[in-house]
Amino acid sequence: MTKKLFLVFDTETANSIEDPFVYDIGWAVVDGDGNVYEQASYVNADVFLDKELMTSAYYAKKLPRYWEQIKSGERKLTSMWKINQAFHKCIKDWDIKILCAHNARFDYRSTNTTKRYYTSSKYRFFLPYGVEVWDTLKMARQAFKEDEEYATFCNENGYLTKRGCKRYTAEILYRFISGDNEFEEEHTGLADVMIEKEILRECLRRGVESGKMW
């Protein structure tokens, strides 16, 4: 029996939250057990080489490390157009029907905003037509909602919103799943994908059957 495969992706952005431009994107093809079949890490030259724009980048302190990884070949520096082509090829090669991201609405917006800006709106959508988009944040809220152990974990560590509700960030969820409460999210595309695939795996294990964004 062929295993069901997912493509988990994550973006890091510059500019504002309302109009985010992708400078880093990573993705991995995984199955429901978290096994990785293919992975990729790209830096978008259109944004990354714009020094003024990159001053607004979240986690800009990591930029020197990006250059080291680009020089070593760990990350590929290329245009958003070529990144989009590679993304679509991966989806086609593995016959992917479901894309996943944590807080998927942001990654959906960031990829589309970037593509529209750099093609002057000639092309408007980064993700291919017809695939489902699942939000692992939405899935986690279902999977851990009634989990008393997670509630205790959040209360004891102060992982609560201003209203006293449990938080479901990828970092906090992974700390709980892994048992490593000192874990710090790297906030780079592919590294974050590797923890988000574990959140997906755990949600599926707990019986969450879908995380459709729409």
Side-chain angles (χ1 to χ4, degrees):
M1 181 177 177
T2 304
K3 284 194 172 185
K4 187 175 186 178
L5 298 179
F6 307 83
L7 186 145
V8 182
F9 72 105
D10 181 79
T11 63
E12 299 300 328
T13 64
N15 208 35
S16 66
I17 292 291
E18 293 76 21
D19 293 299
F21 290 153
V22 176
Y23 68 85
D24 173 11
I25 182 169
W27 65 80
V29 175
V30 305
D31 61 27
D33 295 320
N35 298 307
V36 178
Y37 295 82
E38 183 177 317
Q39 64 185 44
S41 178
Y42 285 92
V43 176
N44 176 17
D46 300 325
V47 176
F48 192 77
L49 298 181
D50 186 329
K51 291 183 179 180
E52 183 176 351
L53 183 57
M54 285 302 292
T55 60
S56 66
Y58 305 114
Y59 311 106
K61 63 183 180 181
K62 298 181 183 293
L63 298 186
R65 186 180 174 192
Y66 274 93
W67 278 117
E68 292 175 5
Q69 293 171 331
I70 290 167
K71 290 175 182 177
S72 71
E74 186 176 341
R75 299 183 189 276
K76 296 179 182 178
L77 178 66
T78 189
S79 68
M80 190 65 171
W81 180 259
K82 289 184 178 179
I83 293 170
N84 202 182
Q85 288 180 315
F87 189 79
H88 280 237
K89 183 178 185 300
C90 182
I91 290 169
K92 183 178 180 180
D93 287 349
W94 290 97
D95 193 26
I96 300 294
K97 305 298 183 185
I98 301 170
L99 309 180
C100 303
H102 201 74
N103 191 16
R105 289 185 183 278
F106 178 79
D107 297 286
Y108 179 79
R109 183 168 73 250
S110 68
T111 51
N112 287 344
T113 298
T114 309
K115 186 168 184 178
R116 289 172 188 180
Y117 182 82
Y118 287 97
T119 64
S120 300
S121 288
K122 182 178 181 180
Y123 301 100
R124 299 183 59 79
F125 299 101
F126 183 88
L127 307 184
Y129 178 78
V131 296
E132 290 184 9
V133 181
W134 286 14
D135 188 348
T136 54
L137 172 58
K138 178 180 178 181
M139 295 175 75
R141 285 172 174 155
Q142 296 178 55
F144 294 90
K145 182 179 180 180
E146 304 298 332
D147 188 316
E148 293 184 5
E149 188 178 351
Y150 186 67
T152 299
F153 175 76
C154 289
N155 278 304
E156 288 182 347
N157 290 284
Y159 299 150
L160 304 170
T161 67
K162 291 180 180 179
R163 295 184 178 182
C165 299
K166 299 184 292 290
R167 295 177 62 203
Y168 294 93
T169 67
E171 182 175 84
I172 292 170
L173 286 164
Y174 188 75
R175 285 180 177 182
F176 178 74
I177 292 168
S178 67
D180 179 8
N181 203 25
E182 302 300 317
F183 172 80
E184 292 187 7
E185 193 173 5
E186 189 172 307
H187 294 293
T188 59
L190 184 58
D192 291 358
V193 164
M194 291 299 134
I195 71 170
E196 290 172 20
K197 76 175 179 68
E198 292 303 309
I199 294 169
L200 172 66
R201 179 192 61 77
E202 182 64 15
C203 289
L204 293 172
R205 190 186 72 80
R206 288 169 176 250
V208 180
E209 296 180 354
S210 174
K212 287 184 182 180
M213 194 168 70
W214 298 286

